[in-house]
Amino acid sequence: MRLVVLGGSGAGKSTQAQRLGKFFNVPLVSTGETLREAIYGNNQDNTYDELNDLVIEAKPYLEQGELVPDEMMIEFIKVRLKQPDVNNGWILEGYPRTAFQCEELDFLLEDLGQNLDWAIYLQVSAAVMVSRSVGRLLPDDQLEIVQRRVELFYDRTIPILEYYDRRHRLLTINGDQSPEQVQQNILTLLG
């Protein structure tokens, strides 16, 4: 199973991506988590040694609440999806974040001889995104940064949804429910 989990800041992407990874027994590839671990030093192993240079370049963008540039993220994903642990499937969370990244992901998957099964969009309101994000208290979740992320999300995500919808790869889920209910709805649609 190869899934992309989409949604705004605080939409429940991490929660659902982790649950789906466990359910399908495939690794979770979380760009935000990986970048945060590398920047704030929570990563105890050296799994991402070859990604460290990319992470160092990405740090200033993250600290400002800006999106990491496409080229950097594409390179990051390329390196990650070539690791042997993801040969039999993956759940991708936090990427793609622009329509250009969607296309690049498709090209990369084609090169790797893989296909994306579904892009799952967890739909929640802007107010829910802000309140959930501010409630998490991650180092980069101050109110101004969260509000900036929500703005960026709407600017950049609508074209992503259109991209996957045109390819009949989009599942839209009401993310404003309990995590258990959201997971059940996703699994029902994946059938």
Side-chain angles (χ1 to χ4, degrees):
M1 185 61 79
R2 293 180 180 88
L3 302 171
V4 166
V5 179
L6 304 167
S9 201
K13 293 186 304 293
S14 294
T15 301
Q16 292 307 320
Q18 285 164 9
R19 286 168 171 254
L20 291 166
K22 284 189 184 107
F23 185 86
F24 290 111
N25 196 27
V26 295
L28 167 61
V29 177
S30 168
T31 54
E33 198 56 38
T34 304
L35 291 168
R36 259 196 293 275
E37 279 174 3
I39 287 168
Y40 298 110
N42 306 332
N43 190 12
Q44 296 310 311
D45 63 24
N46 295 325
T47 316
Y48 301 112
D49 266 357
E50 56 193 303
L51 298 175
N52 280 345
D53 293 345
L54 288 167
V55 169
I56 290 163
E57 287 179 54
K59 190 173 181 173
Y61 297 97
L62 294 167
E63 290 173 341
Q64 297 302 311
E66 297 294 329
L67 292 179
V68 175
D70 282 343
E71 300 70 35
M72 245 182 255
M73 286 310 299
I74 290 161
E75 194 52 41
F76 184 90
I77 290 296
K78 255 183 206 166
V79 171
R80 185 64 189 94
L81 290 187
K82 288 180 180 173
Q83 306 300 312
D85 66 323
V86 293
N87 286 346
N88 297 318
W90 37 259
I91 309 290
L92 198 50
E93 188 256 311
Y95 184 94
R97 289 199 169 189
T98 65
F100 180 65
Q101 288 177 3
C102 293
E103 288 180 310
E104 289 298 316
L105 178 60
D106 279 349
F107 294 141
L108 173 61
L109 293 177
E110 200 175 305
D111 287 348
L112 295 173
Q114 301 178 6
N115 289 314
L116 176 68
D117 292 302
W118 293 101
I120 298 168
Y121 173 49
L122 303 175
Q123 190 171 37
V124 296
S125 69
V128 168
M129 278 189 235
V130 171
S131 68
R132 283 185 183 173
S133 294
V134 172
R136 291 189 308 203
L137 296 175
L138 289 169
D140 55 345
D141 277 346
Q142 290 117 1
L143 185 59
E144 308 75 55
I145 291 177
V146 168
Q147 288 171 327
R148 175 77 182 122
R149 270 202 219 118
V150 170
E151 284 171 33
L152 278 172
F153 169 74
Y154 284 115
D155 289 349
R156 305 212 177 161
T157 303
I158 303 308
I160 294 174
L161 300 178
E162 291 168 350
Y163 179 90
Y164 285 124
D165 193 42
R166 278 196 305 273
R167 283 157 184 75
H168 309 291
R169 287 275 169 268
L170 183 68
L171 297 179
T172 300
I173 305 284
N174 174 2
D176 199 5
Q177 307 172 78
S178 73
E180 296 73 23
Q181 188 59 54
V182 172
Q183 181 184 8
Q184 195 48 58
N185 291 352
I186 292 170
L187 294 175
T188 300
L189 284 174
L190 291 176

